[in-house]
Amino acid sequence: MSILVFGHKNPDTDTICSAIAYAELKGKLGKDVKPVRLGEINEETKFALDYFKVEKPELVENVAGKKIILVDHNERTQTADGFEEAKVLELVDHHRISNFNVDEPLTVRMSPVGCTATIILNLFRENNLVPSKKTAGLMLSAIISDTLLFKSPTCTEHDIKAGKALGEIAGVDPQKYGLEMLKAGTALGGKSEAELINMDMKTFEIDGVKVGVAQVNTVNEAELLEKKEKLISEMNDIISKDGLKFFLFIITNILSNDSIGIVAGEGNGIIEKAFNVKVENSLVTLKGVVSRKKQVIPPLTKAIQSL
Amino acid sequence: MSILVFGHKNPDTDTICSAIAYAELKGKLGKDVKPVRLGEINEETKFALDYFKVEKPELVENVAGKKIILVDHNERTQTADGFEEAKVLELVDHHRISNFNVDEPLTVRMSPVGCTATIILNLFRENNLVPSKKTAGLMLSAIISDTLLFKSPTCTEHDIKAGKALGEIAGVDPQKYGLEMLKAGTALGGKSEAELINMDMKTFEIDGVKVGVAQVNTVNEAELLEKKEKLISEMNDIISKDGLKFFLFIITNILSNDSIGIVAGEGNGIIEKAFNVKVENSLVTLKGVVSRKKQVIPPLTKAIQSL
């Protein structure tokens, strides 16, 4: 029976491509490891798989009784059903460790880098191996996705070097290919306002104040700003339902690496203080902001704590 | 401010020596890292430190506000006070992951090997570095301690190879030095019956049946068996206090790698079934048994589950 390797639920490009890459590495080391996925792939990942002519991994919903390897996640809420009845052999990840409990010692490789694929390239090298051309292309795609083409503050020097090396193996120009891939991932046409807000929505509780922050990437903010009133109406519904103080919807332009925020609820004062900007007509300009984790939540936290 | 590196509370030889070894490695890599300990060192560790003329690390009781690296443990109950207020940079360990939650991504190296020092030797090698003679001696001591001189079922091929290499760097014969060190750790003279039982006592609940299992290492079981009646009396006190079905006190001879068990309470039937042996005069011979985790708890679990 093959060992299964997979990333998180609601898969992104790093989760899918790192599972494929790690299965290839283990295969070269003589292990029978098969990449699988826990959900539907997104448009960006589809572009990468199509470009490098790789089939999407098989869908698996329950891993009870299986031997498994986790990549790109470790928290219990993000992993497969049946986790408690599986035997966890390995973990390769770049996130914090939280709610990950296992009965037996296992092999773990984690680094605070921008992308799991960067760690996996290191593991190839430690074994004096090189990923195949296709797999190098997918690993490059993962790094581009997680680091927004090397521009996110989560990107490290290791990710940049890995991306360059993988681009050479794959025979593609990271900048040119990367923009195409990111654009493919921003195909938002046809999505309803509720779908846009729920694509990547999280709520946070800071000093007892609950706030919602959603984010989408785009190359055309105008088409989203046209929907401003309907988006605010959706955001107000979530504010009432979840008891939030305010909701910030961040539209990030992946070409300019700037964002525009749409604000609903009682957020103007906090947001103006956090980012030292004016909210006008429910809109706020966030120059150079691309990372919710590193550039939005910390200043919001400070502003709320100083209320 | 130095980064602090430390192992678990109630420190053993691996915890102390791996902290010293990892601090040396990080120092060679240009980092200011200081080994510390969370409690008193035992006789075995003292022997190793004295032999290689290394000072014991400084005692630290609270790590709030510090940057820290954990070795040889990860569970919250085993680590330092103030953990939540510290910044965890790295983790190097060979145990299961349980109750370990951090807010930020970190560097983690774990392998299912017999000893943390085996992983640390690998990290030296990945950086093209070699531990100093003294530190190699301490790392060898850690491996000998955790694997009972390469004879525990937790010992892997990696531990054996690492031990051989470290013995060469340290200029000691692992077998000869190892026996001396293990013997030093079995200096039980002067300990009361209660102290002997509490040196390494754990309780387990299996299918609603609570049992106690303690273990000591020795080269002279006779001096312990002389105290049999007093030990049983202590064990009976614990049985009453903790509501146990029975208590098994395992005396492991580190030269022969066999054990003798002293049984108190209603354990004869279960123990005879578990190990396929007779209990006579509250004593049972456990040929080839050295590991509570791998050789005692699993058969007891099976025997209790089939009651």
Side-chain angles (χ1 to χ4, degrees):
Chain A
M1 192 175 67
S2 299
I3 298 163
L4 304 184
V5 54
F6 52 86
H8 51 81
K9 283 181 175 170
N10 199 10
D12 61 12
T13 302
D14 186 24
T15 260
I16 296 291
C17 297
S18 284
I20 293 170
Y22 202 53
E24 177 175 303
L25 172 58
K26 300 300 277 187
K28 289 183 180 191
L29 295 169
K31 302 281 184 191
D32 177 17
V33 176
K34 180 177 159 184
V36 296
R37 63 187 162 89
L38 305 183
E40 263 322 303
I41 61 171
N42 65 32
E43 291 296 321
E44 181 192 275
T45 309
K46 185 173 183 313
F47 177 91
L49 291 169
D50 289 349
Y51 191 98
F52 293 104
K53 298 190 176 57
V54 176
E55 289 289 313
K56 68 181 175 185
E58 195 181 299
L59 180 69
V60 162
E61 287 183 336
N62 195 303
V63 297
K66 307 286 186 189
K67 290 182 178 170
I68 63 175
I69 296 173
L70 307 196
V71 294
D72 194 32
H73 74 299
N74 65 82
E75 302 195 29
R76 180 63 189 89
T77 52
Q78 299 172 5
T79 199
D81 297 340
F83 176 79
E84 281 74 16
E85 286 78 49
K87 182 163 173 56
V88 191
L89 301 180
E90 299 190 37
L91 166 63
V92 183
D93 194 11
H94 68 125
H95 295 93
R96 67 177 191 176
I97 299 181
S98 186
N99 279 311
F100 177 77
N101 296 296
V102 291
D103 289 339
E104 297 281 336
L106 74 168
T107 299
V108 183
R109 286 298 290 257
M110 300 184 82
S111 293
V113 293
C115 180
T116 308
T118 301
I119 304 170
I120 293 176
L121 180 61
N122 246 347
L123 297 173
F124 269 95
R125 286 173 170 163
E126 281 175 19
N127 288 287
N128 293 313
L129 291 168
V130 176
S132 67
K133 194 170 169 175
K134 285 178 176 193
T135 296
L138 296 181
M139 292 166 77
L140 172 63
S141 304
I143 296 174
I144 290 166
S145 172
D146 269 16
T147 66
L148 271 186
L149 204 34
F150 312 112
K151 286 181 180 159
S152 165
T154 58
C155 185
T156 69
E157 185 196 352
H158 303 287
D159 301 296
I160 294 169
K161 283 186 184 161
K164 190 157 179 286
L166 290 164
E168 281 166 17
I169 301 168
V172 298
D173 174 41
Q175 290 297 331
K176 190 165 165 294
Y177 167 75
L179 264 188
E180 272 186 70
M181 186 197 81
L182 290 176
K183 277 187 195 172
T186 64
L188 302 175
K191 290 211 192 290
S192 71
E193 286 76 16
E195 283 170 335
L196 289 167
I197 287 170
N198 282 299
M199 277 177 73
D200 184 8
M201 199 269 270
K202 291 184 176 166
T203 57
F204 300 85
E205 186 164 334
I206 304 161
D207 269 13
V209 176
K210 283 178 78 177
V211 305
V213 184
Q215 186 175 26
V216 290
N217 291 335
T218 186
V219 290
N220 179 3
E221 47 272 79
E223 71 172 354
L224 288 160
L225 291 176
E226 277 170 19
K227 301 178 175 177
K228 188 178 88 173
E229 295 311 322
K230 282 189 177 169
L231 286 165
I232 289 178
S233 160
E234 280 295 333
M235 289 153 74
N236 279 324
D237 286 353
I238 296 171
I239 287 173
S240 311
K241 189 166 62 69
D242 293 353
L244 307 178
K245 186 170 177 71
F246 66 88
F247 195 115
L248 174 63
F249 181 64
I250 304 167
I251 300 164
T252 299
N253 187 311
I254 55 164
L255 301 181
S256 68
N257 294 295
D258 296 320
S259 293
I260 294 175
I262 302 179
V263 186
E266 300 165 40
N268 290 13
I270 290 166
I271 287 167
E272 290 182 349
K273 191 164 180 183
F275 301 101
N276 197 24
V277 288
K278 269 277 171 219
V279 178
E280 284 179 281
N281 298 318
S282 305
L283 292 182
V284 63
T285 302
L286 302 167
K287 287 292 287 181
V289 169
V290 297
S291 168
R292 176 170 53 193
K293 183 169 70 175
K294 292 228 173 187
Q295 295 174 295
V296 176
I297 301 307
L300 282 183
T301 301
K302 266 198 183 167
I304 289 171
Q305 285 171 343
S306 71
L307 277 182
Chain B
M1 192 176 66
S2 299
I3 297 162
L4 304 183
V5 54
F6 52 86
H8 51 80
K9 283 181 174 168
N10 200 8
D12 61 12
T13 302
D14 186 24
T15 258
I16 296 290
C17 297
S18 284
I20 293 170
Y22 202 54
E24 177 174 303
L25 172 58
K26 299 301 278 189
K28 288 183 180 194
L29 294 170
K31 303 279 183 189
D32 176 17
V33 176
K34 179 177 162 184
V36 297
R37 63 186 164 87
L38 305 184
E40 261 325 300
I41 62 171
N42 64 32
E43 291 297 323
E44 180 192 276
T45 309
K46 185 173 183 313
F47 177 90
L49 290 170
D50 290 349
Y51 191 98
F52 294 104
K53 300 188 174 56
V54 176
E55 289 290 313
K56 69 181 176 185
E58 193 180 302
L59 180 69
V60 163
E61 287 184 335
N62 195 304
V63 297
K66 308 284 187 190
K67 289 181 179 173
I68 62 174
I69 296 172
L70 306 194
V71 295
D72 195 33
H73 75 299
N74 65 82
E75 302 195 28
R76 181 63 189 89
T77 52
Q78 299 172 6
T79 199
D81 297 339
F83 176 80
E84 281 74 16
E85 286 77 50
K87 181 162 173 60
V88 191
L89 301 180
E90 297 190 38
L91 165 63
V92 183
D93 192 13
H94 68 125
H95 295 93
R96 65 177 192 175
I97 298 180
S98 187
N99 279 314
F100 177 77
N101 296 299
V102 290
D103 288 340
E104 298 280 336
L106 73 168
T107 299
V108 184
R109 287 298 291 257
M110 300 185 80
S111 292
V113 293
C115 180
T116 308
T118 301
I119 303 171
I120 293 176
L121 179 60
N122 246 347
L123 296 174
F124 269 97
R125 285 171 170 166
E126 283 176 19
N127 289 288
N128 294 312
L129 292 168
V130 177
S132 66
K133 195 170 169 174
K134 286 177 174 192
T135 297
L138 295 181
M139 291 166 77
L140 171 64
S141 304
I143 296 174
I144 289 164
S145 172
D146 268 16
T147 66
L148 269 186
L149 206 33
F150 312 111
K151 285 179 180 159
S152 164
T154 59
C155 185
T156 69
E157 185 198 350
H158 303 287
D159 302 296
I160 295 169
K161 284 185 182 162
K164 191 159 178 285
L166 290 164
E168 282 166 17
I169 301 168
V172 299
D173 173 40
Q175 290 297 328
K176 190 166 164 296
Y177 167 75
L179 264 187
E180 275 186 68
M181 185 195 81
L182 290 176
K183 277 186 196 169
T186 64
L188 303 175
K191 292 209 191 293
S192 71
E193 287 76 15
E195 284 171 334
L196 288 167
I197 287 171
N198 283 301
M199 276 178 73
D200 185 9
M201 198 270 272
K202 290 183 177 169
T203 57
F204 300 85
E205 185 164 335
I206 304 161
D207 269 12
V209 176
K210 282 178 79 177
V211 306
V213 184
Q215 186 175 23
V216 290
N217 292 335
T218 187
V219 291
N220 179 5
E221 47 272 76
E223 71 172 357
L224 289 160
L225 290 175
E226 278 171 17
K227 302 178 176 177
K228 187 178 88 172
E229 295 312 324
K230 284 190 176 166
L231 285 166
I232 289 177
S233 159
E234 281 294 335
M235 289 153 72
N236 279 324
D237 287 352
I238 296 172
I239 288 172
S240 311
K241 189 166 61 72
D242 292 352
L244 307 179
K245 187 169 177 72
F246 66 88
F247 195 114
L248 174 62
F249 181 64
I250 305 167
I251 300 163
T252 299
N253 186 311
I254 55 162
L255 300 181
S256 68
N257 294 294
D258 297 321
S259 294
I260 294 174
I262 303 180
V263 186
E266 300 166 40
N268 290 13
I270 290 166
I271 287 166
E272 291 182 347
K273 191 165 180 184
F275 301 101
N276 197 25
V277 288
K278 269 274 172 222
V279 178
E280 285 178 281
N281 298 318
S282 306
L283 292 181
V284 63
T285 302
L286 301 168
K287 288 289 288 180
V289 169
V290 297
S291 167
R292 176 171 53 193
K293 182 168 70 173
K294 291 226 174 189
Q295 295 174 295
V296 176
I297 300 307
L300 282 183
T301 300
K302 264 197 184 168
I304 289 171
Q305 284 171 342
S306 71
L307 277 182

